[in-house]
Every structure is written in C-alpha cells, then in structure tokens.
Amino acid sequence: MSFATPSLSLGQVRWVGALEHPELLGPVVHEQLRAWQTEHPKLVQQVMACEIDPELSDTAVMSEHYDIPMDTSVNCVLVAGKREGVERTAAVAVRASTRADINGTIKRMLDVRKASFVPMDRAVEESSMEYGGITPIGLPENWRFVVDGSIDSDAWIVIGSGIRASKIAVPGSVLVALTGAEVIEGLGR
C-alpha cells in the first residue's frame, strides 16, 4: 500500500520521507520505523528527515543556522534516579525552548528522591544513537518514554534522528501515537 509523502516547509532545509532515505537515520531509528510501517503506514509516512551539518546538530546552533524555531525543536533526554536501591529511568521529550523540570515534575514522575541526567557515554551506549541525535524513535523497549503535554498536538516538531548529520520532523501527535508515549504536563519549564 502506498501513501503520498507530505510536503513540509520548515526552516531552510529540504525535508524528505524518512523511510525513503535510510542514510539520514541511525540504524535503530530506521529499524523502528520499518517495524511501525507494518502496523501504522499512514503515521510513518508523516515522518520526515533532513540532512544537516553534524557540526551544527546542537539544538540552539541548528535552530539558528537553519531557521527552525526553538519551540519547534524537541530534545530527548535520559533521566534516572533511585528508590530503595532500584534505578528508575525515563526518556523525556521537552521543547527546546524550555528546560526539563528535573527537580520537580520529573522527580515526582519517577518517584525518586533525586533525579539527574544519565551521563552522555551511558546514554549513547544504551540508546545505540549518537550524542546530539538521540531521539524517541528506536529507544530500547524497556525505557519509559514521556513527553511534555505541549508536544501532543498536530503541530510539527523537530527531533533527533539517531545521528548528528540529520533531523526528523513529525507532528507531535503522530510521535505520541507511534511511541505510545505518556503525556505529562509540566515536564518542561
């Protein structure tokens, strides 16, 4: 079954259908999109990708250089805390124009005394993605994934692609539907 790839004009980049350009995706991201394509072809068809300079992949620099608004960009961070000696982790997506509320909403969500970002080397190793390209698509199945309530809409968001040399654009509601994300208000402040 074939569906038309949507046209997207966002920033100063050329957006293409993500599955049609696996070279723009990290291996685990491409694998996840292919798996979802069987069950959700219309949703996966809305996942777009663009090439960027990997030296410009940090969100603020990328947003400025490619004219992509910061409130359109979404960062995915891995956070963790312990409770009774058991580590609780979550991948958290918040708009780049906000900061993840680690010591408030996220700490309460994890039900831990103290939450913090997982160190970069561990996040890269466990996600099988490049630093600066970590994305909710293709995360390990045992990771809890939550998104800030402002992301669950039909508006386009820009996220990592698993590699530093590209970005993904997808309607926020499509990302939530594909990943089965928990939507929690106030993750970003």
Side-chain angles (χ1 to χ4, degrees):
M1 187 178 299
S2 177
F3 297 98
T5 301
S7 174
L8 178 61
S9 177
L10 176 63
Q12 301 300 315
V13 293
R14 181 176 163 261
W15 295 100
V16 295
L19 271 179
E20 298 162 18
H21 293 274
E23 73 280 5
L24 296 177
L25 305 171
V28 296
V29 176
H30 182 248
E31 184 180 312
Q32 183 66 71
L33 287 174
R34 286 186 48 158
W36 285 337
Q37 185 179 31
T38 303
E39 291 181 52
H40 309 287
K42 288 183 180 180
L43 296 179
V44 170
Q45 194 68 26
Q46 295 178 64
V47 180
M48 309 293 284
C50 74
E51 184 175 9
I52 63 166
D53 181 336
E55 297 298 316
L56 304 174
S57 73
D58 291 336
T59 306
V61 174
M62 183 274 307
S63 290
E64 182 177 339
H65 185 81
Y66 294 106
D67 197 26
I68 296 173
M70 285 288 284
D71 66 344
T72 301
S73 292
V74 170
N75 290 324
C76 181
V77 296
L78 182 59
V79 296
K82 285 189 177 181
R83 177 77 169 204
E84 298 174 357
V86 177
E87 184 179 60
R88 298 173 183 196
T89 59
V92 178
V94 297
R95 290 195 182 274
S97 57
T98 67
R99 291 184 176 264
D101 185 17
I102 297 290
N103 294 313
T105 308
I106 294 170
K107 181 177 82 168
R108 286 188 300 278
M109 173 203 66
L110 289 173
D111 191 25
V112 295
R113 258 181 201 253
K114 180 182 180 210
S116 57
F117 293 108
V118 169
M120 177 184 64
D121 57 339
R122 180 178 162 204
V124 167
E125 181 181 336
E126 291 183 15
S127 70
S128 299
M129 298 180 202
E130 295 177 5
Y131 180 72
I134 294 177
T135 185
I137 299 171
L139 290 173
E141 288 185 21
N142 62 332
W143 285 10
R144 182 177 180 186
F145 176 51
V146 297
V147 300
D148 184 77
S150 69
I151 294 169
D152 188 16
S153 76
D154 291 334
W156 287 88
I157 58 170
V158 175
I159 58 176
S161 65
I163 60 174
R164 291 181 63 87
S166 63
K167 294 292 180 183
I168 285 175
V170 61
S173 57
V174 170
L175 179 68
V176 169
L178 286 171
T179 61
E182 295 174 63
V183 178
I184 299 175
E185 298 296 330
L187 290 174
R189 299 227 176 236

Short mmCIF file of all heavy atoms in Angstrom, two decimals, residues 28-29 57 59 74-78 91-92 118-140 143 158-164 166-167:
data_model
loop_
_atom_site.label_atom_id
_atom_site.label_comp_id
_atom_site.label_asym_id
_atom_site.label_seq_id
_atom_site.Cartn_x
_atom_site.Cartn_y
_atom_site.Cartn_z
N VAL A 28 19.05 2.02 14.50
CA VAL A 28 17.91 1.62 15.34
C VAL A 28 16.66 2.43 15.02
O VAL A 28 15.55 1.94 15.17
CB VAL A 28 18.24 1.69 16.86
CG1 VAL A 28 19.33 0.69 17.22
CG2 VAL A 28 18.59 3.08 17.30
N VAL A 29 16.84 3.66 14.57
CA VAL A 29 15.70 4.51 14.19
C VAL A 29 15.07 3.97 12.92
O VAL A 29 13.84 3.81 12.84
CB VAL A 29 16.15 5.98 14.01
CG1 VAL A 29 15.00 6.85 13.51
CG2 VAL A 29 16.73 6.52 15.31
N SER A 57 24.60 20.27 14.91
CA SER A 57 23.46 19.50 15.38
C SER A 57 22.97 19.91 16.77
O SER A 57 21.85 19.58 17.13
CB SER A 57 23.77 18.00 15.37
OG SER A 57 24.66 17.67 16.40
N THR A 59 21.06 21.83 19.39
CA THR A 59 19.75 22.42 19.11
C THR A 59 19.79 23.93 18.86
O THR A 59 19.25 24.39 17.85
CB THR A 59 18.77 22.10 20.24
OG1 THR A 59 18.74 20.68 20.43
CG2 THR A 59 17.38 22.59 19.91
N VAL A 74 12.49 19.73 19.69
CA VAL A 74 12.23 18.96 20.91
C VAL A 74 13.48 18.15 21.25
O VAL A 74 14.03 17.46 20.38
CB VAL A 74 11.01 18.03 20.72
CG1 VAL A 74 10.87 17.04 21.87
CG2 VAL A 74 9.74 18.87 20.56
N ASN A 75 13.91 18.25 22.49
CA ASN A 75 15.05 17.48 22.96
C ASN A 75 14.57 16.24 23.69
O ASN A 75 13.58 16.28 24.43
CB ASN A 75 15.91 18.31 23.91
CG ASN A 75 16.63 19.43 23.18
OD1 ASN A 75 17.05 19.27 22.04
ND2 ASN A 75 16.77 20.56 23.83
N CYS A 76 15.28 15.14 23.50
CA CYS A 76 15.00 13.90 24.20
C CYS A 76 16.19 13.62 25.12
O CYS A 76 17.32 13.47 24.65
CB CYS A 76 14.84 12.76 23.20
SG CYS A 76 14.47 11.16 23.96
N VAL A 77 15.93 13.60 26.41
CA VAL A 77 16.98 13.37 27.39
C VAL A 77 16.65 12.14 28.23
O VAL A 77 15.49 11.83 28.44
CB VAL A 77 17.19 14.61 28.30
CG1 VAL A 77 17.66 15.80 27.48
CG2 VAL A 77 15.93 14.96 29.07
N LEU A 78 17.70 11.46 28.68
CA LEU A 78 17.52 10.31 29.55
C LEU A 78 17.80 10.75 30.97
O LEU A 78 18.84 11.35 31.25
CB LEU A 78 18.47 9.18 29.15
CG LEU A 78 18.35 7.89 29.94
CD1 LEU A 78 16.95 7.29 29.84
CD2 LEU A 78 19.38 6.88 29.47
N ALA A 91 13.10 8.27 29.31
CA ALA A 91 13.44 9.18 28.24
C ALA A 91 12.36 10.26 28.28
O ALA A 91 11.17 9.95 28.34
CB ALA A 91 13.46 8.47 26.90
N VAL A 92 12.78 11.51 28.29
CA VAL A 92 11.86 12.63 28.45
C VAL A 92 12.01 13.58 27.26
O VAL A 92 13.12 14.00 26.94
CB VAL A 92 12.16 13.39 29.76
CG1 VAL A 92 11.24 14.58 29.92
CG2 VAL A 92 12.06 12.45 30.96
N VAL A 118 21.27 11.13 32.77
CA VAL A 118 22.17 9.99 32.62
C VAL A 118 23.42 10.51 31.91
O VAL A 118 23.30 11.29 30.96
CB VAL A 118 21.47 8.87 31.82
CG1 VAL A 118 22.44 7.78 31.42
CG2 VAL A 118 20.31 8.29 32.62
N PRO A 119 24.61 10.11 32.34
CA PRO A 119 25.84 10.57 31.69
C PRO A 119 25.83 10.28 30.18
O PRO A 119 25.29 9.26 29.73
CB PRO A 119 26.95 9.80 32.40
CG PRO A 119 26.37 9.42 33.72
CD PRO A 119 24.89 9.22 33.47
N MET A 120 26.47 11.17 29.42
CA MET A 120 26.46 11.10 27.97
C MET A 120 26.92 9.74 27.44
O MET A 120 26.27 9.15 26.58
CB MET A 120 27.32 12.20 27.36
CG MET A 120 27.42 12.11 25.86
SD MET A 120 28.51 13.32 25.11
CE MET A 120 30.09 12.87 25.77
N ASP A 121 28.03 9.22 27.94
CA ASP A 121 28.54 7.97 27.41
C ASP A 121 27.57 6.82 27.62
O ASP A 121 27.38 5.96 26.75
CB ASP A 121 29.92 7.64 27.98
CG ASP A 121 29.96 7.58 29.50
OD1 ASP A 121 29.07 8.14 30.16
OD2 ASP A 121 30.90 6.94 30.02
N ARG A 122 26.90 6.80 28.75
CA ARG A 122 25.91 5.76 29.02
C ARG A 122 24.68 5.94 28.13
O ARG A 122 24.14 4.96 27.58
CB ARG A 122 25.50 5.80 30.49
CG ARG A 122 24.48 4.75 30.82
CD ARG A 122 24.11 4.74 32.28
NE ARG A 122 22.86 4.02 32.45
CZ ARG A 122 22.04 4.20 33.46
NH1 ARG A 122 22.34 5.03 34.44
NH2 ARG A 122 20.91 3.53 33.53
N ALA A 123 24.22 7.18 27.96
CA ALA A 123 23.04 7.45 27.12
C ALA A 123 23.31 7.00 25.68
O ALA A 123 22.45 6.39 25.04
CB ALA A 123 22.68 8.92 27.16
N VAL A 124 24.50 7.29 25.18
CA VAL A 124 24.88 6.91 23.82
C VAL A 124 24.94 5.38 23.70
O VAL A 124 24.39 4.80 22.76
CB VAL A 124 26.23 7.56 23.43
CG1 VAL A 124 26.80 6.95 22.16
CG2 VAL A 124 26.05 9.07 23.27
N GLU A 125 25.58 4.75 24.66
CA GLU A 125 25.72 3.29 24.61
C GLU A 125 24.37 2.59 24.69
O GLU A 125 24.07 1.70 23.88
CB GLU A 125 26.61 2.81 25.75
CG GLU A 125 26.82 1.31 25.74
CD GLU A 125 27.70 0.83 26.89
OE1 GLU A 125 28.48 1.62 27.43
OE2 GLU A 125 27.56 -0.35 27.25
N GLU A 126 23.53 2.98 25.63
CA GLU A 126 22.26 2.28 25.82
C GLU A 126 21.24 2.58 24.73
O GLU A 126 20.37 1.75 24.46
CB GLU A 126 21.71 2.61 27.21
CG GLU A 126 22.54 2.00 28.31
CD GLU A 126 21.97 2.22 29.70
OE1 GLU A 126 20.79 2.61 29.83
OE2 GLU A 126 22.73 2.01 30.66
N SER A 127 21.32 3.76 24.12
CA SER A 127 20.37 4.10 23.06
C SER A 127 20.82 3.62 21.69
O SER A 127 20.02 3.55 20.76
CB SER A 127 20.14 5.62 23.01
OG SER A 127 21.31 6.27 22.53
N SER A 128 22.11 3.32 21.55
CA SER A 128 22.72 2.98 20.24
C SER A 128 22.57 4.13 19.26
O SER A 128 22.42 3.92 18.05
CB SER A 128 22.12 1.69 19.66
OG SER A 128 22.36 0.61 20.53
N MET A 129 22.59 5.36 19.79
CA MET A 129 22.48 6.56 18.96
C MET A 129 23.65 7.49 19.27
O MET A 129 24.29 7.38 20.31
CB MET A 129 21.16 7.27 19.24
CG MET A 129 19.94 6.44 18.93
SD MET A 129 18.41 7.35 19.29
CE MET A 129 17.26 6.02 19.49
N GLU A 130 23.89 8.44 18.36
CA GLU A 130 24.95 9.40 18.55
C GLU A 130 24.51 10.52 19.49
O GLU A 130 23.34 10.93 19.46
CB GLU A 130 25.37 10.01 17.22
CG GLU A 130 26.00 9.02 16.27
CD GLU A 130 26.34 9.63 14.92
OE1 GLU A 130 26.19 10.86 14.72
OE2 GLU A 130 26.78 8.86 14.04
N TYR A 131 25.44 11.02 20.29
CA TYR A 131 25.16 12.18 21.13
C TYR A 131 24.80 13.34 20.21
O TYR A 131 25.44 13.57 19.21
CB TYR A 131 26.38 12.53 21.98
CG TYR A 131 26.14 13.72 22.87
CD1 TYR A 131 25.31 13.62 23.96
CD2 TYR A 131 26.74 14.94 22.59
CE1 TYR A 131 25.06 14.71 24.78
CE2 TYR A 131 26.51 16.04 23.40
CZ TYR A 131 25.67 15.92 24.49
OH TYR A 131 25.43 16.99 25.29
N GLY A 132 23.75 14.05 20.56
CA GLY A 132 23.26 15.13 19.70
C GLY A 132 22.23 14.65 18.70
O GLY A 132 21.66 15.44 17.95
N GLY A 133 21.98 13.35 18.67
CA GLY A 133 20.99 12.79 17.76
C GLY A 133 20.01 11.86 18.44
O GLY A 133 19.19 11.23 17.77
N ILE A 134 20.10 11.76 19.77
CA ILE A 134 19.21 10.84 20.49
C ILE A 134 17.76 11.26 20.29
O ILE A 134 17.42 12.43 20.40
CB ILE A 134 19.59 10.76 21.97
CG1 ILE A 134 20.97 10.11 22.11
CG2 ILE A 134 18.55 9.96 22.77
CD1 ILE A 134 21.51 10.02 23.51
N THR A 135 16.94 10.29 19.97
CA THR A 135 15.56 10.53 19.60
C THR A 135 14.65 9.50 20.26
O THR A 135 15.11 8.41 20.61
CB THR A 135 15.42 10.47 18.06
OG1 THR A 135 14.08 10.82 17.68
CG2 THR A 135 15.74 9.11 17.50
N PRO A 136 13.38 9.81 20.42
CA PRO A 136 12.44 8.83 20.99
C PRO A 136 12.19 7.62 20.09
O PRO A 136 11.75 6.59 20.56
CB PRO A 136 11.15 9.62 21.15
CG PRO A 136 11.51 11.05 21.02
CD PRO A 136 12.76 11.12 20.22
N ILE A 137 12.46 7.74 18.81
CA ILE A 137 12.19 6.66 17.87
C ILE A 137 13.36 5.67 17.91
O ILE A 137 14.49 6.03 17.60
CB ILE A 137 11.99 7.20 16.44
CG1 ILE A 137 10.80 8.16 16.41
CG2 ILE A 137 11.81 6.07 15.44
CD1 ILE A 137 10.64 8.93 15.10
N GLY A 138 13.06 4.44 18.32
CA GLY A 138 14.10 3.42 18.37
C GLY A 138 14.74 3.24 19.73
O GLY A 138 15.73 2.52 19.86
N LEU A 139 14.18 3.86 20.75
CA LEU A 139 14.70 3.67 22.10
C LEU A 139 14.50 2.23 22.55
O LEU A 139 13.57 1.55 22.09
CB LEU A 139 13.97 4.59 23.09
CG LEU A 139 14.27 6.09 22.98
CD1 LEU A 139 13.35 6.87 23.91
CD2 LEU A 139 15.72 6.37 23.31
N PRO A 140 15.33 1.74 23.45
CA PRO A 140 15.11 0.39 23.98
C PRO A 140 13.70 0.26 24.56
O PRO A 140 13.18 1.19 25.18
CB PRO A 140 16.17 0.28 25.09
CG PRO A 140 17.25 1.22 24.67
CD PRO A 140 16.53 2.37 24.02
N TRP A 143 12.71 1.22 28.20
CA TRP A 143 12.76 2.61 28.66
C TRP A 143 11.35 3.19 28.70
O TRP A 143 10.58 3.07 27.75
CB TRP A 143 13.61 3.47 27.74
CG TRP A 143 15.08 3.27 27.88
CD1 TRP A 143 15.73 2.30 28.58
CD2 TRP A 143 16.08 4.07 27.28
NE1 TRP A 143 17.07 2.45 28.45
CE2 TRP A 143 17.33 3.52 27.66
CE3 TRP A 143 16.05 5.18 26.46
CZ2 TRP A 143 18.54 4.06 27.26
CZ3 TRP A 143 17.26 5.72 26.05
CH2 TRP A 143 18.48 5.17 26.45
N VAL A 158 10.60 19.03 15.60
CA VAL A 158 11.87 18.56 15.06
C VAL A 158 12.62 17.84 16.18
O VAL A 158 12.80 18.41 17.26
CB VAL A 158 12.70 19.73 14.49
CG1 VAL A 158 14.08 19.24 14.04
CG2 VAL A 158 11.96 20.41 13.34
N ILE A 159 13.03 16.60 15.91
CA ILE A 159 13.72 15.77 16.89
C ILE A 159 14.98 15.19 16.26
O ILE A 159 15.20 15.30 15.05
CB ILE A 159 12.80 14.63 17.40
CG1 ILE A 159 12.31 13.76 16.24
CG2 ILE A 159 11.62 15.20 18.19
CD1 ILE A 159 11.46 12.56 16.65
N GLY A 160 15.77 14.52 17.07
CA GLY A 160 16.95 13.85 16.56
C GLY A 160 16.58 12.69 15.65
O GLY A 160 15.43 12.26 15.60
N SER A 161 17.60 12.19 14.96
CA SER A 161 17.40 11.09 14.01
C SER A 161 18.23 9.87 14.35
O SER A 161 18.26 8.91 13.58
CB SER A 161 17.78 11.57 12.61
OG SER A 161 19.17 11.85 12.60
N GLY A 162 18.94 9.93 15.47
CA GLY A 162 19.83 8.84 15.84
C GLY A 162 21.27 9.12 15.44
O GLY A 162 22.19 8.49 15.92
N ILE A 163 21.45 10.10 14.52
CA ILE A 163 22.78 10.53 14.10
C ILE A 163 22.84 12.05 14.13
O ILE A 163 21.80 12.72 14.13
CB ILE A 163 23.15 10.00 12.69
CG1 ILE A 163 22.15 10.50 11.64
CG2 ILE A 163 23.22 8.48 12.69
CD1 ILE A 163 22.54 10.15 10.20
N ARG A 164 24.06 12.59 14.16
CA ARG A 164 24.21 14.05 14.22
C ARG A 164 24.00 14.73 12.87
O ARG A 164 23.78 15.93 12.81
CB ARG A 164 25.59 14.41 14.76
CG ARG A 164 25.78 14.05 16.21
CD ARG A 164 27.15 14.44 16.72
NE ARG A 164 27.42 15.85 16.69
CZ ARG A 164 27.12 16.72 17.66
NH1 ARG A 164 26.51 16.30 18.75
NH2 ARG A 164 27.40 17.99 17.53
N SER A 166 21.60 14.65 10.71
CA SER A 166 20.24 14.87 10.21
C SER A 166 19.28 15.11 11.37
O SER A 166 19.63 14.93 12.53
CB SER A 166 19.77 13.66 9.38
OG SER A 166 19.72 12.51 10.19
N LYS A 167 18.06 15.51 11.02
CA LYS A 167 16.98 15.70 11.98
C LYS A 167 15.72 15.07 11.40
O LYS A 167 15.60 14.87 10.19
CB LYS A 167 16.73 17.19 12.27
CG LYS A 167 17.86 17.89 12.98
CD LYS A 167 18.03 17.40 14.40
CE LYS A 167 19.17 18.13 15.11
NZ LYS A 167 19.41 17.64 16.45
#
